[in-house]
Amino acid sequence: MFARIRALREDKDWTQKEIADLLKVNQTTYSRYESGDLDLPTSALIKLADLHQTSIDYLLNRTDRKEPYPPKKK
């Protein structure tokens, strides 16, 4: 998982600080998410999946399909 969130960030040439600001955490916390030293909270997983237009399962390395799931019907 941690390699995927880093790769997705680097593919877009974003810094850890930029992603940390979007998640409303400091850069050190985000760095610890990427290194695996700190578990990502569910709210951060959701935001990262939305940001990178992928599924949480992809971020968690449970699938190799990057496409997000279709949204829930209202």
Side-chain angles (χ1 to χ4, degrees):
M1 168 180 74
F2 310 111
R4 286 203 168 159
I5 64 170
R6 180 179 181 171
L8 289 167
R9 176 182 59 79
E10 289 176 343
D11 286 348
K12 295 180 179 174
D13 294 324
W14 290 339
T15 65
Q16 286 185 342
K17 174 83 168 100
E18 289 171 316
I19 301 294
D21 289 347
L22 291 170
L23 297 178
K24 296 182 174 36
V25 298
N26 63 43
Q27 183 273 327
T28 304
T29 299
Y30 183 77
S31 175
R32 293 181 66 205
Y33 292 158
E34 279 193 4
S35 69
D37 292 336
L38 187 63
D39 284 336
L40 276 157
T42 303
S43 61
L45 278 171
I46 293 168
K47 287 179 185 177
L48 288 172
D50 290 346
L51 177 68
H52 294 298
Q53 298 177 344
T54 192
S55 69
I56 292 173
D57 281 345
Y58 180 78
L59 296 178
L60 295 175
N61 208 26
R62 293 176 48 93
T63 184
D64 289 330
R65 291 188 61 195
K66 282 187 171 183
E67 299 83 19
Y69 299 115
K72 286 175 70 173
K73 294 181 182 179
K74 293 182 180 181

